[in-house]
Amino acid sequence: MEYQYPIDYNWSTDEIVDVIKFFEAIEKAYEKGIERDELMQAYRRFKEIVPSKAEEKTICGEFEEISGYSSYRTIKKVKDAHSGERITMK
């Protein structure tokens, strides 16, 4: 898909790369499935960069608007899953 990820230009280059990796992990969950632990690791790093729930909601909302993929629903499913499970979204 061709779209721009929602990023904050105050983040460092490494932080921008890690946020993009998180959104790519969400895409992977929808497109072909992803290991729970891989997605959880990406989410934990995302939360280090975006610790505020309000900011997370804004950024993830922007991502869902442009991609159609819900970070919220994906992370909710990940939190309910067990280590080693494969996460697949529809």
Side-chain angles (χ1 to χ4, degrees):
M1 286 191 172
E2 290 296 319
Y3 48 79
Q4 291 195 339
Y5 296 103
I7 55 173
D8 182 332
Y9 292 99
N10 294 317
W11 295 335
S12 71
T13 302
D14 287 343
E15 289 172 332
I16 291 171
V17 167
D18 289 340
V19 168
I20 290 171
K21 284 181 184 175
F22 168 68
F23 288 127
E24 287 174 342
I26 298 294
E27 292 169 346
K28 203 171 170 183
Y30 275 88
E31 293 167 4
K32 56 187 170 192
I34 186 170
E35 292 298 318
R36 178 209 181 263
D37 298 339
E38 180 184 345
L39 184 49
M40 217 36 219
Q41 183 178 356
Y43 179 64
R44 284 189 189 109
R45 177 62 182 137
F46 174 77
K47 287 304 292 174
E48 289 173 8
I49 300 163
V50 185
S52 158
K53 274 286 191 195
E55 189 179 2
E56 175 184 1
K57 189 173 182 179
T58 300
I59 291 169
C60 289
E62 287 175 24
F63 176 69
E64 184 172 0
E65 197 173 294
I66 59 174
S67 70
Y69 300 145
S70 172
S71 303
Y72 172 78
R73 289 187 328 111
T74 306
I75 295 306
K76 186 172 177 357
K77 188 170 183 176
V78 166
K79 288 180 176 178
D80 292 339
H82 295 88
S83 182
E85 283 187 49
R86 188 160 188 79
I87 305 300
T88 308
M89 300 300 292
K90 294 179 182 155

Coordinates of all heavy atoms in Angstrom, one line a residue:
M1 N 0.8 -1.2 0.0 CA 0.0 0.0 0.0 C 0.9 1.2 0.0 O 2.0 1.2 0.5 CB -0.9 0.0 1.2 CG -2.0 -1.0 1.2 SD -3.1 -0.6 2.6 CE -4.4 -1.7 2.2
E2 N 0.3 2.3 -0.6 CA 1.1 3.5 -0.7 C 0.4 4.6 0.2 O -0.6 5.1 -0.1 CB 1.1 4.0 -2.1 CG 2.0 3.2 -3.0 CD 3.4 3.2 -2.7 OE1 4.0 4.3 -2.3 OE2 4.1 2.2 -2.7
Y3 N 1.0 4.8 1.4 CA 0.6 5.9 2.3 C 1.7 6.2 3.2 O 2.7 5.5 3.3 CB -0.7 5.5 3.1 CG -0.6 4.1 3.7 CD1 0.1 3.9 4.9 CD2 -1.3 3.0 3.2 CE1 0.1 2.7 5.5 CE2 -1.2 1.8 3.8 CZ -0.5 1.6 4.9 OH -0.5 0.4 5.5
Q4 N 1.6 7.3 3.9 CA 2.7 7.8 4.8 C 2.2 7.4 6.2 O 1.1 7.6 6.6 CB 2.9 9.3 4.7 CG 3.5 9.6 3.4 CD 4.1 11.0 3.4 OE1 3.7 11.8 4.2 NE2 5.1 11.3 2.5
Y5 N 3.2 6.9 7.0 CA 2.9 6.6 8.4 C 2.9 7.9 9.2 O 3.6 8.8 8.9 CB 4.0 5.7 8.9 CG 4.1 4.3 8.2 CD1 5.1 4.1 7.3 CD2 3.2 3.3 8.6 CE1 5.1 2.8 6.7 CE2 3.2 2.1 7.9 CZ 4.2 1.9 7.0 OH 4.3 0.6 6.4
P6 N 2.0 7.9 10.2 CA 1.9 9.0 11.1 C 3.2 9.1 12.0 O 3.4 8.1 12.7 CB 0.7 8.8 11.9 CG 0.4 7.4 11.8 CD 1.0 6.9 10.6
I7 N 4.0 10.1 11.8 CA 5.2 10.2 12.7 C 5.3 11.6 13.2 O 4.7 12.6 12.7 CB 6.5 9.9 11.9 CG1 6.6 10.7 10.6 CG2 6.5 8.4 11.6 CD1 7.9 10.5 9.9
D8 N 6.0 11.7 14.3 CA 6.3 13.0 14.9 C 7.7 13.4 14.6 O 8.7 12.6 14.9 CB 6.1 12.9 16.4 CG 6.3 14.2 17.2 OD1 7.1 15.0 16.7 OD2 5.7 14.3 18.3
Y9 N 7.9 14.5 14.0 CA 9.3 14.9 13.5 C 10.2 15.3 14.7 O 11.4 15.6 14.4 CB 9.2 16.0 12.4 CG 8.6 15.4 11.2 CD1 7.3 15.6 10.8 CD2 9.4 14.6 10.3 CE1 6.7 15.0 9.7 CE2 8.8 14.0 9.2 CZ 7.5 14.2 8.9 OH 7.0 13.6 7.8
N10 N 9.7 15.3 15.9 CA 10.5 15.5 17.1 C 11.2 14.3 17.5 O 12.1 14.3 18.3 CB 9.7 16.1 18.2 CG 9.2 17.5 17.9 OD1 9.9 18.3 17.4 ND2 7.9 17.8 18.2
W11 N 10.8 13.1 17.0 CA 11.4 11.8 17.3 C 12.7 11.7 16.6 O 13.0 12.3 15.6 CB 10.5 10.7 16.8 CG 9.2 10.5 17.5 CD1 8.8 11.0 18.7 CD2 8.0 9.9 17.0 NE1 7.5 10.7 19.0 CE2 7.0 10.0 17.9 CE3 7.8 9.2 15.8 CZ2 5.7 9.5 17.7 CZ3 6.5 8.7 15.6 CH2 5.5 8.8 16.5
S12 N 13.6 11.0 17.2 CA 14.9 10.7 16.6 C 14.7 9.8 15.4 O 13.6 9.1 15.3 CB 15.9 10.0 17.6 OG 15.5 8.7 17.9
T13 N 15.7 9.6 14.6 CA 15.7 8.7 13.4 C 15.4 7.3 13.9 O 14.5 6.6 13.3 CB 17.0 8.8 12.6 OG1 17.2 10.1 12.2 CG2 16.9 7.9 11.4
D14 N 16.0 6.9 14.9 CA 15.8 5.5 15.4 C 14.4 5.3 15.9 O 13.8 4.3 15.7 CB 16.8 5.2 16.6 CG 18.2 4.9 16.1 OD1 18.4 4.7 14.9 OD2 19.1 5.0 16.9
E15 N 13.8 6.3 16.6 CA 12.5 6.3 17.1 C 11.5 6.2 15.9 O 10.5 5.4 15.9 CB 12.1 7.4 18.0 CG 12.8 7.4 19.3 CD 12.7 8.6 20.1 OE1 12.5 9.7 19.6 OE2 12.7 8.5 21.4
I16 N 11.7 7.0 14.9 CA 10.9 7.0 13.7 C 10.9 5.6 13.0 O 9.9 5.0 12.7 CB 11.3 8.0 12.6 CG1 10.9 9.4 13.2 CG2 10.6 7.8 11.3 CD1 11.5 10.6 12.4
V17 N 12.1 5.0 12.9 CA 12.3 3.7 12.3 C 11.5 2.6 13.2 O 10.8 1.8 12.6 CB 13.7 3.3 12.2 CG1 13.9 1.8 11.9 CG2 14.4 4.1 11.2
D18 N 11.6 2.7 14.5 CA 10.9 1.8 15.4 C 9.4 1.9 15.3 O 8.6 0.9 15.4 CB 11.4 1.9 16.8 CG 12.8 1.4 16.9 OD1 13.3 0.6 16.1 OD2 13.5 1.7 17.9
V19 N 8.9 3.1 15.2 CA 7.4 3.3 15.1 C 6.9 2.8 13.8 O 5.9 2.1 13.7 CB 7.1 4.8 15.2 CG1 5.6 5.1 14.8 CG2 7.3 5.3 16.6
I20 N 7.7 3.0 12.7 CA 7.3 2.4 11.4 C 7.3 0.9 11.5 O 6.4 0.2 10.9 CB 8.3 2.9 10.3 CG1 8.0 4.4 10.0 CG2 8.1 2.1 9.0 CD1 8.9 5.1 9.1
K21 N 8.3 0.3 12.2 CA 8.4 -1.2 12.4 C 7.1 -1.7 13.1 O 6.6 -2.7 12.8 CB 9.6 -1.6 13.1 CG 10.9 -1.6 12.3 CD 12.0 -2.0 13.2 CE 13.3 -1.9 12.4 NZ 14.5 -2.2 13.3
F22 N 6.6 -0.9 14.1 CA 5.4 -1.3 14.8 C 4.2 -1.3 13.8 O 3.5 -2.2 13.8 CB 5.1 -0.3 15.9 CG 3.7 -0.4 16.5 CD1 3.4 -1.6 17.2 CD2 2.8 0.6 16.3 CE1 2.1 -1.7 17.7 CE2 1.5 0.5 16.8 CZ 1.2 -0.7 17.5
F23 N 4.1 -0.2 13.0 CA 3.0 -0.2 12.0 C 3.1 -1.3 11.0 O 2.1 -1.9 10.6 CB 2.8 1.2 11.4 CG 2.3 2.2 12.4 CD1 3.0 3.4 12.6 CD2 1.1 2.0 13.0 CE1 2.5 4.4 13.5 CE2 0.6 2.9 13.9 CZ 1.3 4.1 14.1
E24 N 4.3 -1.6 10.6 CA 4.5 -2.7 9.6 C 4.1 -4.0 10.3 O 3.6 -4.9 9.6 CB 6.0 -2.8 9.2 CG 6.3 -1.6 8.2 CD 7.8 -1.6 7.9 OE1 8.7 -2.1 8.6 OE2 8.1 -0.9 6.9
A25 N 4.3 -4.2 11.6 CA 3.9 -5.4 12.3 C 2.4 -5.5 12.3 O 1.8 -6.6 12.1 CB 4.5 -5.4 13.7
I26 N 1.7 -4.4 12.5 CA 0.3 -4.4 12.5 C -0.2 -4.8 11.1 O -1.1 -5.6 10.9 CB -0.3 -3.0 12.8 CG1 0.1 -2.5 14.2 CG2 -1.8 -2.9 12.6 CD1 -0.6 -3.4 15.3
E27 N 0.4 -4.2 10.0 CA 0.1 -4.6 8.6 C 0.2 -6.1 8.4 O -0.6 -6.8 7.8 CB 1.0 -3.8 7.7 CG 0.7 -2.4 7.6 CD 1.8 -1.6 6.8 OE1 2.8 -2.2 6.5 OE2 1.5 -0.4 6.5
K28 N 1.3 -6.6 8.9 CA 1.7 -8.0 8.8 C 0.6 -8.9 9.4 O 0.2 -9.9 8.9 CB 3.0 -8.3 9.4 CG 3.7 -9.5 8.9 CD 5.2 -9.5 9.5 CE 5.9 -10.8 9.2 NZ 7.2 -10.8 9.8
A29 N 0.1 -8.5 10.6 CA -1.0 -9.2 11.3 C -2.2 -9.3 10.4 O -2.9 -10.3 10.4 CB -1.3 -8.5 12.6
Y30 N -2.5 -8.3 9.6 CA -3.7 -8.3 8.7 C -3.4 -9.0 7.4 O -4.3 -9.7 6.9 CB -4.1 -6.8 8.4 CG -5.0 -6.2 9.5 CD1 -4.5 -5.6 10.6 CD2 -6.4 -6.3 9.4 CE1 -5.3 -5.0 11.5 CE2 -7.2 -5.8 10.3 CZ -6.7 -5.1 11.4 OH -7.5 -4.6 12.4
E31 N -2.2 -8.9 6.9 CA -1.9 -9.4 5.6 C -1.5 -10.9 5.6 O -1.9 -11.6 4.7 CB -0.9 -8.5 4.9 CG -1.4 -7.2 4.7 CD -0.4 -6.1 4.3 OE1 0.8 -6.5 4.1 OE2 -0.7 -5.0 4.1
K32 N -0.8 -11.3 6.6 CA -0.4 -12.8 6.5 C -0.2 -13.4 7.9 O 0.1 -14.6 8.0 CB 0.9 -12.9 5.7 CG 2.1 -12.1 6.2 CD 3.2 -12.2 5.2 CE 4.3 -11.2 5.5 NZ 5.3 -11.1 4.4
G33 N -0.3 -12.6 8.9 CA -0.2 -13.1 10.3 C 1.2 -12.9 10.8 O 2.2 -12.7 10.0
I34 N 1.4 -12.8 12.1 CA 2.6 -12.5 12.8 C 2.7 -13.2 14.1 O 1.7 -13.4 14.8 CB 2.8 -10.9 12.9 CG1 4.2 -10.6 13.4 CG2 1.7 -10.3 13.8 CD1 4.5 -9.1 13.4
E35 N 3.9 -13.5 14.5 CA 4.1 -14.2 15.8 C 3.7 -13.1 16.9 O 4.1 -12.0 16.8 CB 5.5 -14.7 16.0 CG 5.9 -15.8 15.1 CD 5.0 -17.1 15.3 OE1 4.8 -17.4 16.5 OE2 4.6 -17.7 14.3
R36 N 3.0 -13.6 17.9 CA 2.6 -12.7 19.0 C 3.8 -12.0 19.7 O 3.7 -10.8 19.9 CB 1.9 -13.5 20.1 CG 1.4 -12.7 21.3 CD 1.4 -13.5 22.6 NE 1.0 -12.7 23.7 CZ 1.8 -12.1 24.5 NH1 3.1 -12.2 24.4 NH2 1.4 -11.4 25.5
D37 N 4.8 -12.7 19.9 CA 6.0 -12.1 20.6 C 6.7 -11.1 19.8 O 7.1 -10.1 20.3 CB 7.0 -13.2 21.1 CG 6.3 -14.2 22.0 OD1 5.3 -13.9 22.7 OD2 6.8 -15.3 22.2
E38 N 6.7 -11.3 18.5 CA 7.3 -10.3 17.6 C 6.5 -9.0 17.6 O 7.1 -7.9 17.7 CB 7.4 -10.8 16.2 CG 8.0 -9.9 15.2 CD 8.0 -10.4 13.7 OE1 7.7 -11.6 13.5 OE2 8.2 -9.6 12.8
L39 N 5.2 -9.1 17.6 CA 4.3 -7.9 17.6 C 4.4 -7.3 19.0 O 4.4 -6.0 19.1 CB 2.9 -8.3 17.2 CG 1.9 -7.2 17.1 CD1 2.4 -6.0 16.3 CD2 0.6 -7.8 16.6
M40 N 4.4 -8.1 20.0 CA 4.5 -7.5 21.4 C 5.8 -6.7 21.6 O 5.8 -5.6 22.2 CB 4.4 -8.7 22.4 CG 3.6 -8.4 23.7 SD 2.2 -7.4 23.6 CE 2.4 -6.5 25.1
Q41 N 6.9 -7.2 21.1 CA 8.2 -6.5 21.2 C 8.1 -5.2 20.4 O 8.6 -4.2 21.0 CB 9.3 -7.4 20.6 CG 10.6 -6.8 20.7 CD 11.7 -7.7 20.1 OE1 11.5 -8.8 19.7 NE2 12.9 -7.2 20.1
A42 N 7.5 -5.2 19.3 CA 7.3 -3.9 18.5 C 6.4 -2.9 19.2 O 6.7 -1.7 19.3 CB 6.8 -4.2 17.1
Y43 N 5.4 -3.5 19.9 CA 4.5 -2.6 20.6 C 5.1 -2.0 21.9 O 5.0 -0.8 22.2 CB 3.2 -3.4 21.0 CG 2.2 -2.6 21.8 CD1 1.6 -1.5 21.3 CD2 1.9 -2.9 23.1 CE1 0.7 -0.7 22.0 CE2 1.0 -2.1 23.9 CZ 0.4 -1.0 23.3 OH -0.5 -0.3 24.0
R44 N 5.9 -2.8 22.6 CA 6.6 -2.3 23.8 C 7.6 -1.2 23.4 O 7.6 -0.2 24.1 CB 7.4 -3.4 24.4 CG 6.5 -4.4 25.2 CD 7.3 -5.3 26.1 NE 6.4 -6.3 26.6 CZ 6.4 -7.6 26.3 NH1 7.2 -8.1 25.3 NH2 5.6 -8.5 26.8
R45 N 8.3 -1.3 22.3 CA 9.2 -0.3 21.8 C 8.4 1.0 21.4 O 8.7 2.1 21.7 CB 10.0 -0.8 20.7 CG 10.9 0.3 20.1 CD 11.9 0.8 21.1 NE 12.7 1.9 20.4 CZ 13.1 3.0 21.0 NH1 12.7 3.3 22.3 NH2 13.8 3.9 20.4
F46 N 7.2 0.8 20.8 CA 6.3 1.9 20.4 C 5.9 2.6 21.6 O 5.9 3.9 21.7 CB 5.1 1.3 19.6 CG 4.1 2.3 19.3 CD1 4.2 3.2 18.3 CD2 2.9 2.4 20.1 CE1 3.2 4.2 18.0 CE2 1.9 3.3 19.8 CZ 2.1 4.2 18.8
K47 N 5.6 1.9 22.7 CA 5.1 2.5 23.9 C 6.2 3.3 24.7 O 6.0 4.2 25.4 CB 4.5 1.5 24.9 CG 3.1 1.0 24.4 CD 2.1 2.2 24.2 CE 1.7 2.8 25.5 NZ 0.9 4.0 25.3
E48 N 7.5 2.9 24.4 CA 8.6 3.7 25.0 C 8.7 5.0 24.3 O 9.0 6.0 24.9 CB 9.9 2.9 24.8 CG 10.1 1.7 25.6 CD 11.3 0.9 25.3 OE1 12.2 1.4 24.5 OE2 11.5 -0.2 25.8
I49 N 8.4 5.1 23.0 CA 8.4 6.3 22.2 C 7.2 7.1 22.4 O 7.2 8.4 22.5 CB 8.6 5.9 20.7 CG1 9.9 5.2 20.6 CG2 8.6 7.2 19.9 CD1 10.0 4.4 19.2
V50 N 6.0 6.5 22.6 CA 4.7 7.1 22.7 C 4.1 6.6 24.0 O 3.2 5.8 23.9 CB 3.8 6.8 21.5 CG1 2.5 7.6 21.6 CG2 4.5 7.1 20.2
P51 N 4.5 7.1 25.1 CA 4.0 6.6 26.4 C 2.6 7.1 26.7 O 1.8 6.4 27.5 CB 5.0 7.1 27.5 CG 5.6 8.3 26.8 CD 5.6 8.0 25.3
S52 N 2.2 8.2 26.2 CA 0.9 8.8 26.5 C -0.2 8.0 25.7 O -0.2 7.8 24.5 CB 0.9 10.3 26.0 OG -0.4 10.7 25.8
K53 N -1.3 7.7 26.5 CA -2.4 7.0 25.9 C -3.1 7.9 24.9 O -3.6 7.4 23.8 CB -3.4 6.6 27.0 CG -3.1 5.3 27.6 CD -3.5 4.1 26.7 CE -3.5 2.8 27.5 NZ -3.4 1.7 26.5
A54 N -3.2 9.2 25.2 CA -3.9 10.1 24.3 C -3.1 10.2 23.0 O -3.7 10.2 21.9 CB -4.0 11.5 24.9
E55 N -1.8 10.3 23.0 CA -1.0 10.4 21.8 C -1.0 9.1 21.1 O -1.1 9.1 19.8 CB 0.5 10.8 22.2 CG 1.3 11.1 21.0 CD 2.8 11.5 21.4 OE1 3.1 11.5 22.5 OE2 3.5 11.8 20.4
E56 N -1.0 8.0 21.8 CA -1.1 6.7 21.1 C -2.4 6.6 20.3 O -2.5 6.2 19.2 CB -1.0 5.5 22.1 CG -1.3 4.2 21.5 CD -1.3 3.0 22.6 OE1 -1.2 3.3 23.8 OE2 -1.4 1.9 22.2
K57 N -3.5 7.0 21.0 CA -4.8 6.9 20.3 C -4.9 7.8 19.1 O -5.4 7.4 18.1 CB -5.9 7.4 21.3 CG -7.3 7.2 20.9 CD -8.3 7.5 22.0 CE -9.7 7.2 21.6 NZ -10.7 7.5 22.6
T58 N -4.3 9.0 19.2 CA -4.2 9.9 18.0 C -3.4 9.3 16.9 O -3.9 9.2 15.7 CB -3.6 11.3 18.4 OG1 -4.4 11.8 19.5 CG2 -3.5 12.2 17.2
I59 N -2.2 8.8 17.2 CA -1.3 8.3 16.1 C -1.9 7.0 15.5 O -1.9 6.8 14.3 CB 0.1 8.0 16.7 CG1 0.8 9.3 17.0 CG2 0.9 7.2 15.7 CD1 2.0 9.2 17.8
C60 N -2.4 6.1 16.4 CA -3.0 4.9 15.9 C -4.3 5.2 15.1 O -4.6 4.5 14.1 CB -3.2 3.9 17.0 SG -1.7 3.2 17.7
G61 N -5.0 6.2 15.5 CA -6.2 6.6 14.8 C -5.9 7.1 13.4 O -6.6 6.8 12.4
E62 N -4.8 7.9 13.3 CA -4.4 8.4 12.0 C -4.0 7.2 11.1 O -4.3 7.1 9.9 CB -3.2 9.3 12.1 CG -3.5 10.7 12.7 CD -2.3 11.5 13.0 OE1 -1.3 11.3 12.3 OE2 -2.4 12.4 13.8
F63 N -3.2 6.2 11.7 CA -2.8 5.1 10.9 C -4.0 4.3 10.4 O -4.0 3.8 9.3 CB -1.9 4.2 11.8 CG -1.5 2.9 11.1 CD1 -0.6 2.9 10.0 CD2 -2.0 1.7 11.5 CE1 -0.2 1.7 9.4 CE2 -1.6 0.5 10.9 CZ -0.7 0.5 9.8
E64 N -5.0 4.1 11.3 CA -6.2 3.3 10.9 C -6.9 4.0 9.8 O -7.4 3.4 8.8 CB -7.1 3.1 12.1 CG -8.3 2.2 11.7 CD -9.2 1.8 12.9 OE1 -8.8 2.1 14.0 OE2 -10.2 1.1 12.7
E65 N -7.0 5.3 9.9 CA -7.7 6.1 8.8 C -7.0 6.0 7.5 O -7.7 5.8 6.5 CB -7.7 7.6 9.3 CG -8.7 8.5 8.5 CD -8.7 9.9 9.1 OE1 -9.2 10.0 10.3 OE2 -8.3 10.8 8.4
I66 N -5.7 6.0 7.4 CA -5.0 5.9 6.1 C -4.8 4.4 5.6 O -4.8 4.2 4.4 CB -3.7 6.6 6.1 CG1 -2.7 6.0 7.2 CG2 -3.9 8.1 6.3 CD1 -1.3 6.6 7.1
S67 N -4.8 3.5 6.6 CA -4.5 2.1 6.2 C -5.7 1.2 6.2 O -5.8 0.1 5.5 CB -3.4 1.5 7.1 OG -3.9 1.3 8.4
G68 N -6.6 1.5 7.1 CA -7.8 0.6 7.3 C -7.5 -0.5 8.4 O -8.3 -1.3 8.7
Y69 N -6.3 -0.5 9.0 CA -5.8 -1.5 9.9 C -5.9 -0.9 11.4 O -5.4 0.1 11.6 CB -4.4 -1.9 9.7 CG -4.2 -2.6 8.3 CD1 -3.0 -2.4 7.7 CD2 -5.2 -3.4 7.7 CE1 -2.8 -3.0 6.4 CE2 -5.0 -3.9 6.5 CZ -3.7 -3.8 5.8 OH -3.5 -4.4 4.6
S70 N -6.6 -1.6 12.2 CA -6.8 -1.1 13.6 C -5.7 -1.6 14.5 O -5.6 -2.8 14.9 CB -8.1 -1.6 14.1 OG -8.2 -1.3 15.5
S71 N -4.8 -0.7 15.0 CA -3.8 -1.1 15.9 C -4.4 -1.5 17.3 O -4.0 -2.4 17.9 CB -2.9 0.1 16.2 OG -2.3 0.6 15.0
Y72 N -5.5 -0.8 17.6 CA -6.2 -1.0 18.9 C -6.7 -2.5 19.0 O -6.4 -3.2 19.9 CB -7.3 -0.1 19.1 CG -8.2 -0.4 20.3 CD1 -7.7 -0.1 21.6 CD2 -9.4 -1.1 20.2 CE1 -8.5 -0.4 22.7 CE2 -10.2 -1.4 21.3 CZ -9.7 -1.1 22.5 OH -10.5 -1.5 23.6
R73 N -7.4 -2.9 17.9 CA -8.0 -4.3 17.9 C -6.9 -5.3 17.9 O -7.0 -6.4 18.5 CB -9.0 -4.4 16.8 CG -10.3 -3.7 17.0 CD -11.3 -3.9 15.9 NE -10.9 -4.2 14.6 CZ -11.0 -5.5 14.0 NH1 -11.6 -6.4 14.6 NH2 -10.6 -5.6 12.8
T74 N -5.8 -5.0 17.1 CA -4.7 -5.9 17.0 C -4.0 -6.1 18.3 O -3.7 -7.3 18.8 CB -3.7 -5.5 15.9 OG1 -4.4 -5.2 14.7 CG2 -2.6 -6.5 15.7
I75 N -3.7 -5.0 19.0 CA -3.0 -5.1 20.3 C -3.9 -5.8 21.4 O -3.4 -6.6 22.2 CB -2.5 -3.7 20.8 CG1 -1.4 -3.2 19.8 CG2 -2.0 -3.8 22.2 CD1 -0.3 -4.1 19.5
K76 N -5.2 -5.5 21.3 CA -6.1 -6.2 22.2 C -6.0 -7.7 22.0 O -6.0 -8.4 23.0 CB -7.5 -5.7 22.0 CG -8.6 -6.2 23.0 CD -9.9 -5.4 22.8 CE -11.0 -5.9 23.6 NZ -10.9 -6.9 24.5
K77 N -6.0 -8.1 20.8 CA -5.9 -9.6 20.5 C -4.6 -10.1 21.0 O -4.5 -11.2 21.5 CB -6.1 -9.8 19.0 CG -6.2 -11.3 18.6 CD -6.7 -11.4 17.2 CE -6.9 -12.9 16.8 NZ -7.4 -13.1 15.4
V78 N -3.5 -9.4 20.8 CA -2.2 -9.8 21.2 C -2.1 -10.0 22.7 O -1.6 -11.0 23.2 CB -1.1 -8.8 20.7 CG1 0.2 -9.0 21.4 CG2 -0.9 -8.8 19.2
K79 N -2.7 -9.1 23.4 CA -2.7 -9.1 24.9 C -3.5 -10.3 25.4 O -3.2 -10.9 26.5 CB -3.2 -7.8 25.5 CG -2.2 -6.7 25.3 CD -2.8 -5.4 26.0 CE -1.8 -4.3 25.9 NZ -2.3 -3.0 26.4
D80 N -4.5 -10.8 24.6 CA -5.3 -11.9 25.0 C -4.7 -13.3 24.6 O -5.1 -14.3 25.1 CB -6.7 -11.8 24.4 CG -7.5 -10.7 25.0 OD1 -7.2 -10.3 26.2 OD2 -8.5 -10.3 24.4
A81 N -3.7 -13.2 23.7 CA -3.0 -14.4 23.2 C -1.9 -14.8 24.1 O -1.4 -14.1 25.0 CB -2.5 -14.1 21.8
H82 N -1.4 -16.1 23.9 CA -0.3 -16.6 24.6 C 1.0 -16.6 23.8 O 1.0 -16.5 22.6 CB -0.6 -18.1 25.0 CG -1.7 -18.2 26.0 ND1 -3.0 -18.3 25.5 CD2 -1.8 -18.2 27.3 CE1 -3.8 -18.4 26.5 NE2 -3.1 -18.3 27.6
S83 N 2.1 -16.6 24.5 CA 3.4 -16.6 23.8 C 3.5 -17.7 22.8 O 3.1 -18.8 23.1 CB 4.5 -16.7 24.9 OG 5.8 -16.7 24.3
G84 N 4.0 -17.4 21.6 CA 4.2 -18.5 20.6 C 3.0 -18.5 19.6 O 3.1 -19.2 18.6
E85 N 1.9 -17.9 20.0 CA 0.7 -17.9 19.1 C 0.9 -17.0 17.9 O 1.7 -16.0 18.0 CB -0.6 -17.5 19.8 CG -1.2 -18.5 20.8 CD -2.5 -18.1 21.3 OE1 -3.4 -17.6 20.6 OE2 -2.7 -18.1 22.6
R86 N 0.2 -17.3 16.8 CA 0.3 -16.5 15.6 C -1.0 -15.6 15.6 O -2.1 -16.1 15.8 CB 0.3 -17.4 14.4 CG 0.6 -16.6 13.1 CD 1.1 -17.6 12.0 NE 1.5 -16.9 10.9 CZ 2.7 -16.2 10.7 NH1 3.5 -16.3 11.7 NH2 3.0 -15.6 9.6
I87 N -0.8 -14.3 15.4 CA -1.8 -13.4 15.4 C -2.2 -13.1 13.9 O -1.4 -12.7 13.1 CB -1.4 -12.0 16.1 CG1 -0.9 -12.3 17.5 CG2 -2.6 -11.0 16.0 CD1 -1.9 -12.9 18.4
T88 N -3.5 -13.3 13.6 CA -4.0 -13.0 12.3 C -5.3 -12.2 12.4 O -6.2 -12.6 13.2 CB -4.3 -14.4 11.5 OG1 -3.2 -15.2 11.6 CG2 -4.7 -14.1 10.1
M89 N -5.3 -11.1 11.8 CA -6.5 -10.2 11.8 C -7.3 -10.3 10.5 O -6.7 -10.7 9.5 CB -6.0 -8.7 12.0 CG -5.3 -8.5 13.3 SD -6.2 -8.9 14.8 CE -7.4 -7.6 14.8
K90 N -8.6 -9.9 10.6 CA -9.4 -10.0 9.4 C -10.0 -8.6 9.1 O -10.2 -7.9 10.0 CB -10.5 -11.0 9.6 CG -10.0 -12.4 9.7 CD -11.1 -13.4 9.9 CE -10.5 -14.7 10.0 NZ -11.2 -15.7 10.8

